[in-house]
Amino acid sequence: MNKIKMHDRRRVLQWATFARSWWIFDANHQCPFQSANRLCLFLEGKHKPIYHPLSDCGDHVIVINTKHIAMPDRFWRAWRHFHHTQYAGGFQVQRAWQVHREDPTKILKKQIYSTLTGNLLRKGLMARLHLFPEEDVPEGMLRNVSNQIRQVMPVPKTLEDYPIEERESFPRVFEWPEEYVVKDGKEFERQKEYLDEDLSLSKLQ
């Protein structure tokens, strides 16, 4: 019988499909809830044609700038994280801003953990998640990165991010007159002190 040889291109595609790729995701100004839904697709391997709920075919995901995530609406104060130490009186409740202050990677980590399917594979999938509060990633990990995950939300720009030419060409609503003097904050503080002194003197009289 003649053996059917696999084409070199098909062989490379097969290797790329079964191999574990490294992805990088920038969490700057990104919602942790929407980001978790997208990151779980790559951790579980749902973007691959060989995906099966019981197969461990996910990739590695590196997340940077977790310190600069953006929570929608009033979630920094309203969203709560619950924890129990399994001892009597060990129930703890913390708001999102308190958790983020203690560990800048914990909110996104908890959200990804709760979004993943709750089976025996979840522990291994979380081991392939690498979170960093800033852009300081070990060079050994960066060498393995071959793809980038698209952000779920547009990143807002500050005034310094625009070039000077674009800022000057932008149409202005109005222009200050030449004789107008902009008062600084210190002058307003002095006026407030004078008003407080006048009120105190009027009360004494």
Side-chain angles (χ1 to χ4, degrees):
M1 295 179 64
N2 295 329
K3 295 183 179 180
I4 301 175
K5 293 185 178 180
M6 183 181 293
H7 195 272
D8 292 340
R9 185 166 176 239
R10 287 184 174 274
R11 186 181 291 109
V12 172
L13 290 175
Q14 186 181 25
W15 289 343
T17 302
F18 283 91
R20 295 195 189 276
S21 303
W22 285 70
W23 300 78
I24 190 168
F25 178 77
D26 190 1
N28 184 23
H29 286 87
Q30 301 301 305
C31 175
F33 308 107
Q34 299 181 20
S35 301
N37 294 330
R38 178 166 294 184
L39 296 177
C40 288
L41 298 177
F42 297 89
L43 289 172
E44 295 178 342
K46 290 184 177 180
H47 62 293
K48 298 182 178 181
I50 60 172
Y51 169 75
H52 188 271
L54 300 179
S55 63
D56 187 11
C57 59
D59 294 338
H60 290 264
V61 176
I62 299 175
V63 184
I64 60 176
N65 291 325
T66 59
K67 187 177 181 179
H68 308 289
I69 59 174
M71 296 281 280
D73 202 14
R74 297 179 298 170
F75 274 47
W76 281 116
R77 293 179 296 171
W79 191 262
R80 300 180 181 181
H81 287 266
F82 303 96
H83 177 70
H84 204 292
T85 60
Q86 302 299 326
Y87 290 95
F91 181 70
Q92 299 176 359
V93 180
Q94 283 184 313
R95 299 187 184 274
W97 67 269
Q98 295 174 332
V99 177
H100 190 68
R101 184 178 61 181
E102 294 178 0
D103 187 0
T105 63
K106 198 169 185 179
I107 289 182
L108 191 57
K109 182 179 180 180
K110 280 179 168 288
Q111 189 59 35
I112 293 174
Y113 184 84
S114 61
T115 307
L116 289 172
T117 306
N119 52 20
L120 297 177
L121 297 175
R122 182 159 61 174
K123 185 177 180 180
L125 299 179
M126 291 298 298
R128 288 194 289 272
L129 176 66
H130 313 281
L131 302 171
F132 298 94
E134 299 288 349
E135 298 182 359
D136 300 331
V137 183
E139 293 185 3
M141 289 186 177
L142 290 177
R143 292 173 187 168
N144 300 325
V145 174
S146 58
N147 297 288
Q148 182 179 1
I149 302 176
R150 186 188 297 272
Q151 292 179 319
V152 296
M153 299 174 62
V155 180
K157 284 185 176 182
T158 60
L159 188 62
E160 288 75 14
D161 296 335
Y162 293 94
I164 300 176
E165 295 79 9
E166 188 175 353
R167 281 184 278 176
E168 292 179 352
S169 61
F170 192 82
R172 298 184 180 182
V173 180
F174 67 96
E175 294 186 0
W176 295 104
E178 296 180 357
E179 62 274 6
Y180 184 80
V181 178
V182 181
K183 298 181 180 179
D184 55 352
K186 294 183 179 179
E187 187 168 349
F188 286 112
E189 292 178 359
R190 296 192 203 98
Q191 293 180 0
K192 187 178 178 181
E193 292 177 358
Y194 295 151
L195 290 174
D196 294 339
E197 291 178 0
D198 294 341
L199 289 174
S200 59
L201 291 173
S202 61
K203 288 180 180 180
L204 291 174
Q205 293 177 358

